[in-house]
Amino acid sequence: MNLSLFIAKRIYGSRTDKSVSRPAISIATLGIAIGLMVMIVSVAVVLGFKGEIKNKLTGFGADLQIANMEYAHNYESLPVAVSDSLLQQIQAYPLVEHAQRYVTKPAILKTDEQFRGIGLKGVGPEYDLSFLKKYLVEGEIPVYSDTAASNKIVISRTIAREMMLKLNEKVYCYMMGDNVRARRFEIVGIYETHLAEFDANLVLTDLYTVRRLNEWEEKQVTGVEVRLKDYGQLDEAYSHFMGEFNTRLDEYGQSYCTSTIEMLYPSLFAWLGLLDTNVWVILVLMLAVAGFTMISGLLIIILERTNMIGILKALGAQDRTIRSVFLNFSAMLIGKGVVWGNILGLGLCFIQQQFGVVHLDPETYYVDVVPIQMNWLLFLGLNVGTLVVSVLVLVGPSYLVSQIHPAKAIRFE
């Protein structure tokens, strides 16, 4: 066995040592454990938070949208023609998981006591409703048609609460234009996603009704929502559809325009991007704390073992060998701290993921409990990084061994 490793193991395994360095060693180990625990929890929370918000945004608006070029600059919805063959062409692209048409129109919901502006969104039979069903709190979401009026709407709990509406109640909806038109809808479902920008406005109904209210032709819709198989391929898919549609006119002379969900909601994605900066700050601080506690612990150990260092040097041990003893010993302490850090960090993440112990204000954070997402590859990287960085910062202080002279060290007490 390597001599330095053998001596390091003997020092580490000593149970009768009542030296003053034991508290310092315990503090250093605890520093590593707490630092790694905080890093694991921070990464898991940020990944979970970003994933939850991104899933809600793409649930409402998909990864890509193909709409009218002038739609973003107008209050009223502008149409583009989307035939069945064009929808199939979009669906046939290998990166696409699902494509669905939609039609929107500004409207006003009114009761005897309340009224508020909403965005009426009409969807057809191909529309994937699994996202809203996940957040449905009352009632049901019917299968909407593009050939017949259902006169049924799904509203958010925010709208229901503010307007004092209940399930199965009927409410009038007014559309402004050259003439004011009214429709009477039945509330068949209530959802709640805590994403205020959508919960405060979105009301779902059938595509046929909204298209008729817009006085559009059968093929005309507000746009097509495109969901990808892998969100990581968003840029590639965007480039493809931009080249395919942004230079094309439909049969009514309207221009197509392709947008990503990140373009449609830049402020929210910029906010999510800032969370990465916060994580990096936490990682650097925790590694710095762990490194400083290990450095102070190593210096105390070296000073306390001065007599042993002198004896080893007198027996012919080189400085490099003695340095290796203390670096190996420190690596064992770091390894112990890493193990406990994983137990604490992963344990807290598991408890939060399964039981949702820590709650948040959904009006501020868009979620009601702290979300957790486990990424084992990142956790492995944190473990390796903590171990490597903690050992590397000890290389410099370990050179203190070369400044110790055998004759003085042997007499040292």
Side-chain angles (χ1 to χ4, degrees):
M1 181 183 292
N2 181 281
L3 177 61
S4 58
L5 182 60
F6 173 78
I7 297 174
K9 286 185 175 180
R10 291 299 298 270
I11 298 173
Y12 179 79
S14 175
R15 301 299 180 188
T16 58
D17 187 4
K18 302 186 182 300
S19 60
V20 295
S21 66
R22 282 297 170 187
I25 292 172
S26 299
I27 292 172
T29 306
L30 185 62
I32 295 289
I34 293 176
L36 183 58
M37 178 195 70
V38 171
M39 287 189 283
I40 288 174
V41 172
S42 299
V43 169
V45 169
V46 169
L47 288 177
F49 192 78
K50 291 178 68 175
E52 190 74 15
I53 301 302
K54 181 175 71 65
N55 289 340
K56 288 183 178 182
L57 288 172
T58 55
F60 277 115
D63 302 314
L64 288 164
Q65 289 189 16
I66 301 171
N68 191 296
M69 178 73 77
E70 299 298 323
Y71 177 45
H73 307 290
N74 287 270
Y75 177 70
E76 280 285 349
S77 176
L78 297 176
V80 289
V82 179
S83 61
D84 290 340
S85 60
L86 185 61
L87 194 64
Q88 290 172 5
Q89 177 188 343
I90 297 171
Q91 185 76 56
Y93 185 57
L95 300 183
V96 172
E97 181 178 359
H98 185 67
Q100 54 201 21
R101 299 164 297 166
Y102 69 99
V103 181
T104 60
K105 185 171 184 61
I108 295 175
L109 280 183
K110 186 179 184 304
T111 63
D112 292 338
E113 295 83 16
Q114 303 282 342
F115 70 92
R116 66 172 294 144
I118 54 138
L120 203 59
K121 182 173 183 177
V123 299
E126 81 277 4
Y127 201 89
D128 184 5
L129 296 168
S130 58
F131 169 75
L132 280 177
K133 287 180 179 178
K134 177 181 176 183
Y135 293 98
L136 195 67
V137 292
E138 290 185 63
E140 62 178 8
I141 301 177
V143 178
Y144 286 117
S145 171
D146 57 356
T147 58
S150 65
N151 295 321
K152 296 178 179 179
I153 59 173
V154 177
I155 66 174
S156 70
R157 177 173 278 177
T158 300
I159 296 174
R161 186 183 298 118
E162 290 183 5
M163 299 191 68
M164 294 179 288
L165 295 171
K166 297 179 180 179
L167 193 67
N168 300 322
E169 191 173 346
K170 293 186 177 180
V171 61
Y172 280 100
C173 185
Y174 293 87
M175 277 63 63
M176 304 300 173
D178 295 335
N179 298 306
V180 178
R181 284 168 293 172
R183 290 289 187 277
R184 195 169 186 232
F185 291 107
E186 179 186 1
I187 301 169
V188 296
I190 299 175
Y191 71 89
E192 184 177 40
T193 67
H194 299 299
L195 204 57
E197 188 170 341
F198 294 92
D199 284 6
N201 298 290
L202 182 66
V203 173
L204 203 70
T205 188
D206 60 87
L207 187 144
Y208 176 83
T209 296
V210 185
R211 180 189 279 155
R212 287 286 302 275
L213 291 170
N214 281 327
E215 299 180 342
W216 291 350
E217 300 297 327
E218 184 179 352
K219 293 181 182 179
Q220 289 183 314
V221 294
T222 300
V224 179
E225 294 176 347
V226 182
R227 188 172 68 245
L228 304 178
K229 296 176 181 176
D230 181 4
Y231 185 83
Q233 296 176 313
L234 181 64
D235 291 338
E236 182 181 347
Y238 170 68
S239 298
H240 168 79
F241 286 114
M242 185 176 64
E244 189 76 19
F245 287 97
N246 285 28
T247 57
R248 184 193 297 189
L249 299 178
D250 69 5
E251 56 194 87
Y252 302 98
Q254 299 293 325
S255 301
Y256 295 97
C257 179
T258 304
S259 304
T260 68
I261 191 69
E262 295 177 6
M263 295 176 180
L264 296 172
Y265 305 101
S267 58
L268 284 175
F269 279 94
W271 174 51
L272 294 178
L274 289 175
L275 296 178
D276 293 333
T277 304
N278 295 339
V279 170
W280 280 110
V281 170
I282 291 172
L283 295 182
V284 170
L285 288 176
M286 290 300 100
L287 285 174
V289 170
F292 282 125
T293 56
M294 283 306 304
I295 288 173
S296 61
L298 178 63
L299 293 177
I300 292 173
I301 294 167
I302 290 175
L303 291 175
E304 189 177 60
R305 298 280 175 171
T306 300
N307 187 269
M308 184 194 78
I309 293 170
I311 293 173
L312 289 175
K313 283 191 173 186
L315 293 174
Q318 298 180 345
D319 288 341
R320 182 175 60 184
T321 302
I322 301 173
R323 284 175 47 228
S324 295
V325 170
F326 291 100
L327 288 176
N328 284 324
F329 176 68
S330 299
M332 294 174 189
L333 296 179
I334 295 168
K336 182 180 179 181
V338 166
V339 170
W340 278 107
N342 278 283
I343 293 173
L344 295 173
L346 295 177
L348 289 174
C349 289
F350 177 78
I351 292 171
Q352 178 62 25
Q353 190 178 51
Q354 296 299 316
F355 305 105
V357 177
V358 183
H359 292 263
L360 295 173
D361 179 8
E363 293 185 3
T364 303
Y365 297 99
Y366 306 119
V367 290
D368 54 355
V369 296
V370 174
I372 296 292
Q373 181 177 325
M374 302 295 226
N375 188 313
W376 300 108
L377 189 60
L378 279 179
F379 292 161
L380 178 62
L382 286 176
N383 278 269
V384 173
T386 301
L387 186 61
V388 171
V389 171
S390 299
V391 172
L392 287 178
V393 297
L394 298 178
V395 172
S398 69
Y399 277 94
L400 179 63
V401 169
S402 61
Q403 304 300 316
I404 297 176
H405 299 285
K408 296 180 180 179
I410 293 174
R411 296 195 303 266
F412 179 83
E413 294 184 4

Coordinates of all heavy atoms in Angstrom, one line a residue, residues 124-197:
G124 N -60.3 23.5 -32.0 CA -61.0 22.5 -32.8 C -60.8 21.1 -32.2 O -60.2 21.0 -31.1
P125 N -61.3 20.1 -32.9 CA -61.2 18.7 -32.4 C -59.8 18.2 -32.3 O -59.5 17.3 -31.5 CB -62.0 17.9 -33.4 CG -62.0 18.7 -34.7 CD -61.9 20.2 -34.2
E126 N -58.8 18.8 -33.1 CA -57.5 18.3 -33.0 C -56.7 18.9 -31.8 O -55.5 18.5 -31.6 CB -56.7 18.5 -34.3 CG -56.2 19.9 -34.5 CD -57.2 20.9 -35.0 OE1 -58.4 20.5 -35.1 OE2 -56.8 22.1 -35.3
Y127 N -57.3 19.8 -31.1 CA -56.6 20.6 -30.1 C -56.3 19.7 -28.9 O -57.2 19.0 -28.4 CB -57.4 21.8 -29.6 CG -56.5 22.9 -29.0 CD1 -55.9 23.9 -29.7 CD2 -56.3 22.8 -27.6 CE1 -55.2 24.8 -29.1 CE2 -55.6 23.8 -27.0 CZ -55.0 24.8 -27.7 OH -54.2 25.8 -27.1
D128 N -55.0 19.7 -28.4 CA -54.6 18.8 -27.3 C -55.0 19.6 -26.0 O -54.4 20.6 -25.6 CB -53.1 18.6 -27.3 CG -52.7 17.6 -26.2 OD1 -53.5 17.1 -25.5 OD2 -51.5 17.4 -26.1
L129 N -56.0 19.0 -25.3 CA -56.5 19.6 -24.1 C -55.9 19.1 -22.8 O -56.4 19.4 -21.7 CB -58.0 19.5 -24.0 CG -58.8 20.3 -25.2 CD1 -60.3 19.8 -25.2 CD2 -58.7 21.8 -25.0
S130 N -54.9 18.2 -22.9 CA -54.4 17.5 -21.8 C -53.8 18.5 -20.7 O -53.8 18.3 -19.5 CB -53.3 16.5 -22.2 OG -52.3 17.1 -22.9
F131 N -53.2 19.6 -21.2 CA -52.6 20.6 -20.3 C -53.7 21.2 -19.4 O -53.5 21.2 -18.2 CB -51.9 21.7 -21.1 CG -51.5 22.9 -20.3 CD1 -50.4 22.8 -19.4 CD2 -52.2 24.0 -20.3 CE1 -50.0 23.8 -18.6 CE2 -51.8 25.1 -19.5 CZ -50.8 25.0 -18.7
L132 N -54.8 21.7 -20.0 CA -55.8 22.3 -19.2 C -56.5 21.3 -18.3 O -57.0 21.6 -17.2 CB -56.8 23.0 -20.1 CG -56.4 24.4 -20.6 CD1 -57.4 25.0 -21.6 CD2 -56.1 25.4 -19.5
K133 N -56.7 20.1 -18.8 CA -57.3 19.0 -18.0 C -56.5 18.8 -16.7 O -57.0 18.5 -15.7 CB -57.5 17.8 -18.8 CG -58.5 17.8 -19.8 CD -58.7 16.5 -20.6 CE -59.8 16.6 -21.6 NZ -59.9 15.4 -22.5
K134 N -55.2 18.9 -16.8 CA -54.3 18.7 -15.7 C -54.6 19.8 -14.6 O -54.5 19.5 -13.4 CB -52.8 18.8 -16.1 CG -51.8 18.7 -15.0 CD -50.4 18.9 -15.5 CE -49.4 18.8 -14.4 NZ -48.0 19.0 -14.9
Y135 N -55.0 21.0 -15.0 CA -55.2 22.1 -14.0 C -56.7 22.4 -13.9 O -57.1 23.4 -13.3 CB -54.5 23.3 -14.5 CG -53.0 23.2 -14.4 CD1 -52.3 22.9 -15.6 CD2 -52.3 23.3 -13.2 CE1 -50.9 22.7 -15.5 CE2 -50.9 23.2 -13.2 CZ -50.2 22.9 -14.3 OH -48.9 22.7 -14.3
L136 N -57.5 21.5 -14.3 CA -59.0 21.6 -14.1 C -59.4 21.4 -12.7 O -59.0 20.4 -12.1 CB -59.7 20.7 -15.0 CG -61.2 20.9 -15.3 CD1 -61.4 22.2 -16.1 CD2 -61.8 19.8 -16.0
V137 N -60.1 22.3 -12.1 CA -60.5 22.2 -10.7 C -62.0 21.9 -10.5 O -62.4 21.4 -9.5 CB -60.1 23.5 -9.9 CG1 -58.6 23.6 -9.8 CG2 -60.7 24.7 -10.5
E138 N -62.8 22.2 -11.5 CA -64.2 21.9 -11.5 C -64.7 21.6 -12.9 O -64.2 22.2 -13.9 CB -65.0 23.1 -10.9 CG -64.8 23.4 -9.4 CD -65.7 24.5 -9.0 OE1 -67.0 24.3 -9.0 OE2 -65.2 25.5 -8.6
G139 N -65.7 20.7 -13.0 CA -66.4 20.5 -14.3 C -65.5 19.6 -15.2 O -64.7 18.8 -14.8
E140 N -65.7 19.9 -16.5 CA -65.0 19.2 -17.5 C -64.7 20.1 -18.7 O -65.2 21.2 -18.8 CB -65.8 18.0 -18.0 CG -67.2 18.4 -18.6 CD -68.0 17.3 -19.1 OE1 -67.6 16.1 -18.9 OE2 -69.0 17.5 -19.8
I141 N -63.8 19.6 -19.6 CA -63.5 20.3 -20.8 C -64.1 19.5 -22.0 O -63.6 18.3 -22.2 CB -62.0 20.5 -21.0 CG1 -61.4 21.3 -19.9 CG2 -61.7 21.2 -22.3 CD1 -59.9 21.5 -19.9
P142 N -65.1 20.0 -22.7 CA -65.7 19.2 -23.8 C -64.8 19.1 -25.0 O -63.8 19.8 -25.1 CB -66.9 20.0 -24.1 CG -66.6 21.4 -23.7 CD -65.7 21.3 -22.5
V143 N -65.1 18.1 -25.8 CA -64.4 18.0 -27.1 C -65.0 19.0 -28.1 O -66.1 18.9 -28.5 CB -64.4 16.6 -27.7 CG1 -63.8 16.5 -29.1 CG2 -63.8 15.6 -26.7
Y144 N -64.3 20.1 -28.4 CA -64.9 21.2 -29.2 C -64.8 20.8 -30.7 O -63.9 20.1 -31.2 CB -64.1 22.5 -28.9 CG -64.4 23.1 -27.6 CD1 -63.5 23.2 -26.6 CD2 -65.7 23.5 -27.3 CE1 -63.8 23.8 -25.4 CE2 -66.0 24.1 -26.1 CZ -65.0 24.2 -25.1 OH -65.3 24.8 -23.9
S145 N -65.7 21.4 -31.4 CA -65.9 21.2 -32.8 C -65.5 22.4 -33.6 O -65.6 23.5 -33.1 CB -67.3 20.8 -33.1 OG -67.5 20.7 -34.5
D146 N -65.1 22.2 -34.9 CA -64.9 23.3 -35.8 C -66.0 23.4 -36.9 O -65.9 24.2 -37.8 CB -63.6 23.2 -36.5 CG -63.4 21.9 -37.3 OD1 -64.4 21.1 -37.2 OD2 -62.4 21.7 -38.0
T147 N -67.1 22.7 -36.6 CA -68.2 22.7 -37.6 C -69.6 23.0 -36.9 O -70.6 23.2 -37.6 CB -68.4 21.4 -38.3 OG1 -68.5 20.3 -37.3 CG2 -67.1 21.1 -39.1
A148 N -69.6 23.1 -35.6 CA -70.9 23.4 -34.9 C -70.6 24.2 -33.6 O -69.5 24.0 -33.0 CB -71.6 22.1 -34.6
A149 N -71.5 25.0 -33.2 CA -71.4 25.8 -32.0 C -71.8 25.0 -30.8 O -72.8 24.2 -30.8 CB -72.3 27.0 -32.1
S150 N -71.0 25.1 -29.7 CA -71.3 24.3 -28.5 C -71.9 25.2 -27.4 O -72.6 24.7 -26.6 CB -70.0 23.7 -27.9 OG -69.1 24.8 -27.5
N151 N -71.7 26.5 -27.5 CA -72.2 27.4 -26.5 C -71.7 27.1 -25.1 O -72.4 27.4 -24.1 CB -73.7 27.5 -26.5 CG -74.2 28.1 -27.9 OD1 -73.6 29.0 -28.4 ND2 -75.3 27.5 -28.4
K152 N -70.5 26.5 -25.0 CA -69.9 26.1 -23.7 C -68.5 26.7 -23.6 O -67.8 26.7 -24.6 CB -69.8 24.6 -23.6 CG -71.2 23.9 -23.6 CD -71.0 22.4 -23.5 CE -72.4 21.7 -23.5 NZ -72.2 20.2 -23.4
I153 N -68.2 27.2 -22.4 CA -66.9 27.8 -22.2 C -66.3 27.2 -21.0 O -66.9 26.7 -20.1 CB -67.0 29.4 -22.1 CG1 -67.9 29.7 -20.9 CG2 -67.4 30.0 -23.3 CD1 -67.9 31.2 -20.6
V154 N -64.9 27.3 -20.9 CA -64.1 27.0 -19.8 C -63.4 28.2 -19.3 O -62.7 28.9 -20.1 CB -63.1 25.9 -20.1 CG1 -62.2 25.6 -18.9 CG2 -63.8 24.6 -20.6
I155 N -63.6 28.6 -18.1 CA -63.0 29.8 -17.6 C -62.0 29.5 -16.4 O -62.0 28.4 -15.9 CB -64.0 30.8 -17.1 CG1 -64.8 30.3 -15.8 CG2 -65.0 31.2 -18.2 CD1 -65.7 31.3 -15.2
S156 N -61.2 30.5 -16.0 CA -60.3 30.3 -14.9 C -61.0 30.6 -13.6 O -62.0 31.3 -13.5 CB -59.1 31.2 -15.1 OG -59.5 32.6 -14.9
R157 N -60.4 30.1 -12.5 CA -60.9 30.3 -11.2 C -60.8 31.8 -10.9 O -61.6 32.4 -10.1 CB -60.1 29.5 -10.2 CG -60.6 29.8 -8.7 CD -59.9 28.8 -7.8 NE -60.6 27.5 -7.7 CZ -60.3 26.5 -7.0 NH1 -59.2 26.5 -6.3 NH2 -61.0 25.4 -7.0
T158 N -59.7 32.5 -11.4 CA -59.6 33.9 -11.2 C -60.8 34.7 -11.7 O -61.3 35.5 -11.0 CB -58.3 34.4 -11.9 OG1 -57.1 33.7 -11.4 CG2 -58.1 35.9 -11.7
I159 N -61.2 34.4 -12.9 CA -62.3 35.0 -13.5 C -63.6 34.7 -12.8 O -64.4 35.6 -12.5 CB -62.5 34.7 -15.0 CG1 -61.3 35.2 -15.8 CG2 -63.8 35.2 -15.6 CD1 -61.2 34.8 -17.3
A160 N -63.8 33.4 -12.4 CA -64.9 33.0 -11.7 C -65.1 33.6 -10.4 O -66.1 34.1 -9.9 CB -64.9 31.4 -11.5
R161 N -63.9 33.8 -9.7 CA -64.0 34.4 -8.3 C -64.3 35.9 -8.4 O -65.1 36.4 -7.7 CB -62.6 34.2 -7.7 CG -62.5 34.7 -6.2 CD -61.1 34.5 -5.7 NE -60.7 33.2 -5.6 CZ -59.7 32.6 -6.3 NH1 -59.0 33.4 -7.1 NH2 -59.4 31.4 -6.2
E162 N -63.6 36.6 -9.4 CA -63.8 38.0 -9.5 C -65.3 38.4 -10.0 O -65.8 39.4 -9.6 CB -62.8 38.6 -10.4 CG -61.4 38.6 -9.9 CD -60.4 39.3 -10.8 OE1 -60.8 39.9 -11.9 OE2 -59.2 39.3 -10.5
M163 N -65.8 37.5 -10.8 CA -67.2 37.8 -11.3 C -68.3 37.0 -10.6 O -69.4 37.1 -11.0 CB -67.2 37.5 -12.8 CG -66.3 38.3 -13.7 SD -66.5 38.2 -15.4 CE -68.1 39.0 -15.6
M164 N -67.8 36.3 -9.6 CA -68.8 35.5 -8.8 C -69.6 34.5 -9.7 O -70.8 34.4 -9.5 CB -69.7 36.4 -8.0 CG -68.9 37.2 -6.9 SD -70.0 38.3 -6.0 CE -70.3 39.6 -7.2
L165 N -68.9 33.8 -10.5 CA -69.5 32.9 -11.4 C -69.3 31.4 -10.9 O -68.3 31.2 -10.2 CB -68.9 33.0 -12.8 CG -69.2 34.3 -13.6 CD1 -68.4 34.4 -14.8 CD2 -70.7 34.4 -13.9
K166 N -70.3 30.6 -11.2 CA -70.2 29.2 -10.7 C -70.3 28.2 -11.9 O -70.8 28.6 -13.0 CB -71.3 28.9 -9.7 CG -71.1 29.7 -8.4 CD -72.2 29.4 -7.4 CE -72.1 30.3 -6.2 NZ -73.2 30.0 -5.2
L167 N -70.0 27.0 -11.6 CA -70.1 25.9 -12.7 C -71.5 25.8 -13.1 O -72.5 25.9 -12.2 CB -69.5 24.6 -12.1 CG -69.3 23.5 -13.1 CD1 -68.1 23.9 -14.0 CD2 -69.0 22.2 -12.3
N168 N -71.7 25.6 -14.4 CA -73.1 25.3 -15.0 C -73.9 26.6 -15.0 O -75.1 26.6 -15.5 CB -73.9 24.3 -14.3 CG -73.2 22.9 -14.3 OD1 -72.5 22.6 -15.3 ND2 -73.2 22.2 -13.2
E169 N -73.3 27.7 -14.6 CA -74.0 29.0 -14.7 C -73.9 29.5 -16.1 O -72.9 29.2 -16.8 CB -73.5 30.0 -13.7 CG -74.3 31.3 -13.5 CD -73.7 32.1 -12.4 OE1 -72.9 31.6 -11.6 OE2 -74.1 33.3 -12.3
K170 N -74.9 30.4 -16.6 CA -74.8 30.9 -17.9 C -74.4 32.4 -17.8 O -74.9 33.1 -16.9 CB -76.1 30.7 -18.6 CG -76.4 29.3 -18.9 CD -77.6 29.1 -19.8 CE -77.8 27.6 -20.1 NZ -79.0 27.3 -20.9
V171 N -73.6 32.9 -18.8 CA -73.1 34.2 -18.8 C -73.1 34.8 -20.2 O -72.9 34.0 -21.1 CB -71.7 34.3 -18.1 CG1 -70.7 33.5 -18.9 CG2 -71.2 35.7 -18.0
Y172 N -73.4 36.1 -20.3 CA -73.3 36.7 -21.6 C -71.9 37.2 -21.9 O -71.2 37.7 -21.1 CB -74.3 37.9 -21.6 CG -75.7 37.5 -21.8 CD1 -76.6 37.5 -20.7 CD2 -76.2 37.2 -23.1 CE1 -77.9 37.1 -20.9 CE2 -77.5 36.9 -23.3 CZ -78.4 36.8 -22.2 OH -79.7 36.4 -22.3
C173 N -71.6 37.0 -23.2 CA -70.3 37.5 -23.7 C -70.6 38.4 -24.9 O -71.3 38.1 -25.8 CB -69.5 36.3 -24.2 SG -67.8 36.7 -24.7
Y174 N -69.9 39.6 -24.8 CA -70.2 40.7 -25.8 C -68.9 40.9 -26.7 O -67.8 40.9 -26.1 CB -70.6 42.0 -25.2 CG -71.9 41.9 -24.5 CD1 -72.0 41.5 -23.2 CD2 -73.1 42.3 -25.2 CE1 -73.3 41.4 -22.5 CE2 -74.3 42.2 -24.5 CZ -74.4 41.8 -23.2 OH -75.6 41.7 -22.6
M175 N -69.1 41.0 -28.0 CA -68.0 41.2 -28.9 C -68.2 42.5 -29.6 O -69.2 42.8 -30.1 CB -67.9 40.1 -30.0 CG -67.2 38.8 -29.5 SD -67.9 38.0 -28.1 CE -69.5 37.5 -28.8
M176 N -67.1 43.4 -29.5 CA -67.2 44.7 -30.1 C -66.7 44.6 -31.6 O -65.9 43.8 -32.0 CB -66.3 45.7 -29.3 CG -66.7 45.7 -27.9 SD -68.4 46.3 -27.6 CE -68.6 46.0 -25.9
G177 N -67.2 45.5 -32.4 CA -66.9 45.6 -33.8 C -67.7 46.7 -34.4 O -68.1 47.7 -33.8
D178 N -68.0 46.5 -35.7 CA -69.0 47.4 -36.3 C -70.3 47.4 -35.7 O -71.0 48.4 -35.5 CB -69.1 47.1 -37.8 CG -67.8 47.3 -38.6 OD1 -67.0 48.1 -38.1 OD2 -67.6 46.6 -39.6
N179 N -70.7 46.2 -35.2 CA -71.9 46.0 -34.4 C -71.6 45.2 -33.2 O -70.7 44.3 -33.2 CB -72.9 45.2 -35.2 CG -73.4 46.0 -36.5 OD1 -73.7 47.2 -36.4 ND2 -73.3 45.3 -37.6
V180 N -72.2 45.6 -32.1 CA -72.0 44.8 -30.9 C -72.9 43.5 -30.9 O -74.1 43.6 -31.2 CB -72.5 45.6 -29.6 CG1 -72.3 44.8 -28.3 CG2 -71.6 46.9 -29.5
R181 N -72.2 42.4 -30.7 CA -72.8 41.1 -30.8 C -72.7 40.4 -29.4 O -71.7 40.6 -28.7 CB -72.3 40.2 -31.9 CG -72.7 40.6 -33.3 CD -71.9 39.9 -34.3 NE -70.5 40.3 -34.3 CZ -69.6 39.8 -35.0 NH1 -69.9 38.7 -35.8 NH2 -68.3 40.2 -35.0
A182 N -73.7 39.6 -29.1 CA -73.7 38.9 -27.8 C -74.0 37.4 -28.0 O -74.7 37.0 -28.9 CB -74.8 39.5 -26.9
R183 N -73.3 36.7 -27.1 CA -73.6 35.2 -27.1 C -73.8 34.8 -25.6 O -73.1 35.4 -24.7 CB -72.4 34.5 -27.7 CG -72.2 34.6 -29.2 CD -73.3 33.9 -29.9 NE -73.0 33.9 -31.4 CZ -73.3 34.8 -32.2 NH1 -73.8 36.0 -31.7 NH2 -73.0 34.7 -33.5
R184 N -74.6 33.8 -25.4 CA -74.8 33.3 -24.1 C -74.2 32.0 -24.0 O -74.5 31.0 -24.7 CB -76.3 33.2 -23.8 CG -76.7 33.0 -22.3 CD -78.1 33.2 -22.1 NE -78.5 33.2 -20.7 CZ -79.4 32.4 -20.1 NH1 -80.1 31.5 -20.9 NH2 -79.7 32.4 -18.9
F185 N -73.2 31.9 -23.1 CA -72.4 30.6 -22.9 C -72.7 30.0 -21.5 O -73.0 30.7 -20.6 CB -70.9 30.9 -23.0 CG -70.5 31.3 -24.3 CD1 -70.1 32.7 -24.6 CD2 -70.4 30.4 -25.4 CE1 -69.7 33.1 -25.8 CE2 -69.9 30.8 -26.6 CZ -69.6 32.1 -26.8
E186 N -72.6 28.7 -21.5 CA -72.7 27.9 -20.3 C -71.3 27.6 -19.8 O -70.5 27.1 -20.5 CB -73.5 26.6 -20.5 CG -73.6 25.8 -19.2 CD -74.3 24.5 -19.4 OE1 -74.6 24.2 -20.6 OE2 -74.4 23.7 -18.5
I187 N -71.0 27.8 -18.5 CA -69.7 27.5 -17.9 C -69.7 26.0 -17.6 O -70.4 25.6 -16.7 CB -69.5 28.4 -16.7 CG1 -69.5 29.8 -17.0 CG2 -68.1 28.0 -16.0 CD1 -69.5 30.8 -15.8
V188 N -68.9 25.3 -18.3 CA -68.8 23.8 -18.1 C -67.5 23.4 -17.4 O -67.4 22.2 -17.0 CB -69.0 23.1 -19.4 CG1 -70.3 23.3 -20.0 CG2 -67.9 23.4 -20.4
G189 N -66.6 24.3 -17.2 CA -65.3 23.9 -16.6 C -64.6 25.1 -16.0 O -64.7 26.2 -16.5
I190 N -63.8 24.9 -14.9 CA -63.0 26.0 -14.3 C -61.6 25.4 -14.1 O -61.5 24.4 -13.5 CB -63.7 26.4 -13.0 CG1 -65.1 27.0 -13.2 CG2 -62.8 27.5 -12.3 CD1 -65.8 27.4 -11.9
Y191 N -60.6 26.2 -14.6 CA -59.2 25.7 -14.4 C -58.4 26.8 -13.6 O -58.9 27.9 -13.4 CB -58.6 25.6 -15.8 CG -58.3 26.9 -16.5 CD1 -57.1 27.6 -16.3 CD2 -59.3 27.4 -17.4 CE1 -56.9 28.8 -17.0 CE2 -59.0 28.6 -18.0 CZ -57.8 29.3 -17.8 OH -57.6 30.5 -18.4
E192 N -57.3 26.3 -13.1 CA -56.4 27.2 -12.3 C -55.0 26.8 -12.5 O -54.6 25.7 -12.1 CB -56.8 27.2 -10.8 CG -55.9 28.2 -10.0 CD -56.3 28.3 -8.6 OE1 -56.6 27.2 -8.0 OE2 -56.4 29.4 -8.0
T193 N -54.2 27.6 -13.2 CA -52.7 27.3 -13.4 C -51.8 28.2 -12.6 O -50.6 27.9 -12.5 CB -52.4 27.5 -14.9 OG1 -52.4 28.9 -15.2 CG2 -53.3 26.7 -15.8
H194 N -52.3 29.3 -12.0 CA -51.5 30.2 -11.2 C -50.7 31.1 -12.1 O -49.8 31.9 -11.6 CB -50.7 29.6 -10.1 CG -51.5 28.8 -9.1 ND1 -52.4 29.4 -8.3 CD2 -51.5 27.5 -8.8 CE1 -53.0 28.5 -7.5 NE2 -52.4 27.3 -7.8
L195 N -50.7 30.9 -13.4 CA -50.0 31.8 -14.3 C -50.9 33.0 -14.6 O -51.8 32.9 -15.5 CB -49.6 31.1 -15.6 CG -48.4 31.6 -16.4 CD1 -47.2 31.6 -15.5 CD2 -48.2 30.7 -17.6
A196 N -50.7 34.1 -13.9 CA -51.7 35.2 -13.8 C -52.0 35.8 -15.2 O -53.1 36.2 -15.5 CB -51.2 36.3 -12.9
E197 N -51.0 35.9 -16.0 CA -51.2 36.5 -17.4 C -52.2 35.8 -18.2 O -52.9 36.4 -19.0 CB -49.8 36.5 -18.1 CG -49.9 37.3 -19.4 CD -48.5 37.5 -20.0 OE1 -47.5 37.4 -19.2 OE2 -48.4 37.8 -21.2

